[in-house]
């Protein structure tokens, strides 16, 4: 019996890698990553290694959000904050998830996929507005209106398996699905070897997640 197909958005970080492992249990997967002008590309190296090990088709799409700036992740003149921020932090990349999901929507039509899987999280989400349930609901409604499959009555599912999970429970889910978190890169400013700074918001949430899950943190940190 042919399995349903899903497009999985994969950064190479903890959350998206957990999503890929979860999706593989439910779908035939095609992973999509983006080179969008982010400060560190070692997460893409991780994504390529992870998909190769998993035997998953992987596509890397180049888009230039760096020329727009507006985020510490794409503008090297803006420092990555190393203290907890209030409100929407400077590491928010304007419209990033909207753009990523739009590419995934196009890929889903091209590859006849029934679902898009994205690792957004409304619990440990750093204050990003495009990680909220309301955003996903709105995008799913737009997708029904804007696609051939949607118009023909076969709306795509937007799967968000991590949406309401704490970071600790995301890690537990990944362990259940065999994820090797030592191979993932979450740091906003990882070095060329993929080692994490241990100070940025992403590192802070990741470290706390392993502590709360009572699982040894396998992350490689810069000495």
């Amino acid at each position: 019996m042919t399995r349903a197909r899903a497009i999985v958005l994969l950064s190479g970080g903890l959350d998206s890698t957990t999503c890929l492992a979860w999706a593989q249990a439910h779908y035939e997967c095609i992973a999509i990553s983006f080179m969008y002008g982010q400060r560190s590309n070692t997460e893409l190296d991780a994504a390529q290694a992870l998909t190769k090990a998993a035997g998953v088709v992987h596509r890397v799409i180049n888009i230039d959000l760096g020329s727009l700036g507006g985020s510490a992740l794409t503008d090297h003149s803006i420092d990555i904050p190393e203290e907890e921020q209030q409100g929407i932090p400077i590491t928010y990349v304007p419209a990033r998830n909207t753009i990523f999901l739009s590419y995934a929507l196009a890929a889903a039509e091209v590859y006849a996929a029934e679902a898009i899987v994205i690792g957004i999280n409304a619990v440990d989400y750093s204050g990003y507005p495009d990680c909220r349930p309301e955003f996903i609901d709105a995008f799913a409604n737009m997708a029904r209106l804007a696609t051939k499959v949607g118009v023909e009555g076969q709306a795509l599912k937007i799967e968000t398996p991590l949406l309401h999970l704490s970071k600790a429970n995301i890690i537990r889910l990944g362990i259940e699905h065999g994820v090797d978190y030592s191979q993932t890169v979450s740091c906003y400013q990882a070095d060329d070897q993929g080692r994490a700074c241990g100070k940025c918001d992403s590192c802070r949430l990741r470290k706390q997640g392993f502590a709360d899950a009572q699982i040894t943190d396998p992350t490689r940190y810069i000495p």
Side-chain angles (χ1 to χ4, degrees):
M1 181 178 177
T2 303
R3 302 181 78 198
R5 181 175 295 159
I7 304 298
V8 182
L9 291 170
L10 181 69
S11 70
L14 184 151
D15 291 347
S16 68
T17 302
T18 303
C19 269
L20 177 62
W22 175 88
Q24 284 188 278
H26 299 85
Y27 297 99
E28 173 194 339
C29 296
I30 296 173
I32 292 181
S33 302
F34 295 90
M35 184 175 290
Y36 62 91
Q38 61 267 55
R39 187 177 289 259
S40 173
N41 285 323
T42 55
E43 61 181 1
L44 286 178
D45 296 335
Q48 290 173 329
L50 288 160
T51 50
K52 183 177 181 179
V56 171
V57 174
H58 185 219
R59 299 282 183 265
V60 178
I61 297 172
N62 289 285
I63 52 178
D64 185 12
L65 297 182
S67 63
L68 293 174
S71 169
L73 296 192
T74 57
D75 187 338
H76 287 259
S77 70
I78 303 174
D79 292 335
I80 296 287
E82 296 183 350
E83 302 293 335
E84 188 172 352
Q85 305 292 296
Q86 298 298 316
I88 299 173
I90 194 62
T91 50
Y92 162 67
V93 179
R96 181 177 63 177
N97 281 346
T98 304
I99 293 166
F100 287 1
L101 279 168
S102 296
Y103 272 91
L105 190 58
E109 290 218 274
V110 170
Y111 292 110
E114 296 183 12
I116 295 169
V117 183
I118 182 171
I120 67 169
N121 179 258
V123 180
D124 293 333
Y125 75 123
S126 300
Y128 295 163
D130 54 1
C131 288
R132 297 175 298 155
E134 300 94 321
F135 166 70
I136 290 298
D137 290 343
F139 190 90
N141 186 54
M142 181 278 296
R144 284 191 291 272
L145 297 172
T147 59
K148 180 176 182 289
V149 291
V151 169
E152 292 177 348
Q154 299 174 327
L156 287 158
K157 294 180 183 177
I158 310 295
E159 298 269 28
T160 56
L162 313 185
L163 188 62
H164 299 294
L165 298 183
S166 67
K167 190 68 74 177
N169 283 335
I170 291 171
I171 291 167
R172 292 186 183 108
L173 177 65
I175 295 296
E176 289 174 8
H177 285 84
V179 174
D180 179 0
Y181 286 114
S182 70
Q183 302 302 306
T184 64
V185 176
S186 301
C187 179
Y188 290 150
Q189 50 188 354
D191 69 8
D192 291 341
Q193 299 176 48
R195 296 180 301 179
C197 72
K199 300 174 183 179
C200 69
D201 191 46
S202 184
C203 282
R204 180 182 60 80
L205 290 171
R206 180 176 169 127
K207 285 197 289 186
Q208 189 61 51
F210 279 108
D212 291 345
Q214 298 184 323
I215 293 172
T216 301
D217 183 356
T219 307
R220 296 181 300 121
Y221 292 101
I222 298 169

